[in-house]
Amino acid sequence: MSTTEYLVCDFCYRHCRLKDGGIGFCGVRERSGDTIFTHNYGGLVSSAIDPVEKKPLYHFLPGTNTLSIAMFGCNLTCTFCQNYAISQRAWEEGAQRTYYTAREVVQLAVDNRCPSISFTYSEPLVWQDYMVEVATFAKREGLKTIMVTNGTFSEESLIRISPYIDAFNIDIKGDEAFYRNYCGGSGHPVWNAIEHIAPSRAHLEITTMIMEGVHTREMISSIGRHLYSAGVQVWHLSRYFPRYQEQKRETSEHYLKEVVQEAQESMVPFIYPGNSSLDQNTYCPYCRTLLVRRSWVSLESIIDHSNCPVCGRHIYGTWS
């Protein structure tokens, strides 16, 4: 029996203080005696072979497939959650799981000739112990690792996770009022994580889902300036579609185009529209040479060993 009244879970910025038998905000971290453990460890609620561009990552191993996996859980309560049935606490009990050891996940990636494993769909922060175990075995097999996350790291988890992840896609959901009103959280830890990761060895791309009538051009301009100041190179702006508790009308292509044009004023070098028919090709930011041509069904890369074939300038990314 524990003599400590509270133990602190350091998996995310919330630092939940748990009494014996207590469960964290995410619903999957529980205390028993002097131990905090993750429910249903290794129980995958989703797995798939995806194009890496779906994460979205446009500058990291383009044209390859990635093994995408998720355990249950999230530490935010976004009203527009796209994957609420495998992330939001009310659905935890009924989730269908298939259990894999870390070694089995890595073997699955090898068998399917995937050069990377992506921790995605739900929020990997709340099952980071499993993620780190899988990533450890993945490194031994020469595989790359990808974390798609809301970015609300604790300082401890950022230090713990960073050595094991090759590429991050982090959501910037909006300004602080947006986080408070729509996500039940805060953007401050997200910015802290971006400022830590952007200058590191890890690859980083940012995603913002654009909700027409909520994400104003002024908000996007402010986010863009902050991203540019942090050294971010790649920013995805994706159309919103009604999902979960949020039933605002879908974002129009016209409005997304306006927002993309506004974002381009930030000087972030590579900005892409998502969930859209707008141009998603990659161009050299220095001479405008077409480097990667993308369509719904194909991808053609023209870039040569991370350099523009015309002007020779370095292009951010991991291209092979």
Side-chain angles (χ1 to χ4, degrees):
M1 186 175 183
S2 174
T3 57
T4 305
E5 185 177 4
Y6 291 101
L7 292 180
V8 176
C9 176
D10 67 3
F11 272 24
C12 81
Y13 82 108
R14 292 188 185 276
H15 286 106
C16 292
R17 299 171 71 242
L18 303 179
K19 290 186 175 182
D20 196 7
I23 298 175
F25 185 92
C26 64
V28 299
R29 297 283 290 160
E30 181 176 359
R31 176 182 172 184
S32 177
D34 288 324
T35 301
I36 299 176
F37 65 96
T38 301
H39 280 296
N40 296 297
Y41 188 91
L44 300 188
V45 291
S46 186
S47 63
I49 308 297
D50 291 325
V52 73
E53 286 80 11
K54 189 178 175 181
K55 298 302 96 191
L57 289 174
Y58 278 14
H59 288 233
F60 189 79
L61 303 179
T64 67
N65 287 333
T66 184
L67 173 64
S68 298
I69 65 168
M71 283 177 54
F72 191 94
C74 188
N75 62 337
L76 295 180
T77 57
C78 299
T79 59
F80 50 86
C81 182
Q82 302 297 292
N83 292 315
Y84 63 92
I86 61 170
S87 65
Q88 297 301 302
R89 188 168 177 173
W91 278 266
E92 197 270 339
E93 202 170 288
Q96 300 297 308
R97 297 174 173 84
T98 304
Y99 287 84
Y100 286 87
T101 67
R103 289 181 184 272
E104 288 171 336
V105 170
V106 172
Q107 191 59 51
L108 191 59
V110 171
D111 291 345
N112 285 278
R113 299 183 179 179
C114 294
S116 66
I117 297 174
S118 293
F119 309 102
T120 181
Y121 300 142
S122 61
E123 179 46 59
L125 277 174
V126 306
W127 39 273
Q128 65 189 254
D129 43 359
Y130 183 69
M131 177 177 68
V132 168
E133 186 185 6
V134 172
T136 300
F137 286 109
K139 296 292 185 186
R140 295 176 188 175
E141 293 293 330
L143 302 181
K144 299 296 187 182
T145 53
I146 296 166
M147 183 181 185
V148 182
T149 174
N150 64 34
T152 56
F153 294 82
S154 63
E155 290 186 14
E156 300 94 331
S157 64
L158 191 55
I159 293 169
R160 180 185 305 125
I161 290 169
S162 291
Y164 297 95
I165 301 298
D166 296 297
F168 292 87
N169 186 292
I170 297 179
D171 283 348
I172 282 290
K173 296 181 184 292
D175 59 14
E176 192 62 18
F178 185 89
Y179 273 94
R180 183 172 59 252
N181 296 331
Y182 291 91
C183 307
S186 171
H188 294 306
V190 187
W191 286 112
N192 289 340
I194 288 170
E195 289 165 2
H196 175 91
I197 293 169
S200 75
R201 61 152 190 94
H203 182 84
L204 174 64
E205 302 189 22
I206 302 298
T207 298
T208 303
M209 187 202 67
I210 303 301
M211 190 181 292
E212 190 168 350
V214 178
H215 290 85
T216 64
R217 294 179 62 161
E218 292 75 18
M219 186 195 301
I220 294 305
S221 178
S222 176
I223 292 172
R225 289 194 301 270
H226 200 157
L227 291 175
Y228 177 76
S229 177
V232 169
Q233 301 286 304
V234 185
W235 186 16
H236 302 266
L237 299 165
S238 296
R239 290 174 68 203
Y240 156 82
F241 289 89
R243 187 75 168 159
Y244 192 31
Q245 299 167 340
E246 200 59 63
Q247 295 301 314
K248 290 181 172 60
R249 67 183 178 89
E250 68 184 52
T251 299
S252 67
E253 293 270 19
H254 176 75
Y255 189 71
L256 183 66
K257 185 176 181 179
E258 286 186 350
V259 168
V260 168
Q261 290 171 341
E262 184 72 38
Q264 287 168 343
E265 298 295 320
S266 71
M267 302 303 290
V268 173
F270 301 96
I271 295 177
Y272 298 102
N275 295 330
S276 167
S277 61
L278 298 175
D279 185 353
Q280 299 183 35
N281 296 332
T282 297
Y283 300 90
C284 175
Y286 308 104
C287 70
R288 301 307 296 168
T289 296
L290 175 64
L291 300 175
V292 181
R293 180 183 288 111
R294 297 182 181 85
S295 72
W296 292 108
V297 295
S298 66
L299 180 145
E300 179 188 358
S301 181
I302 307 159
I303 190 169
D304 181 27
H305 302 295
S306 298
N307 295 314
C308 173
V310 174
C311 71
R313 299 288 289 270
H314 175 76
I315 305 298
Y316 179 79
T318 299
W319 300 100
S320 62

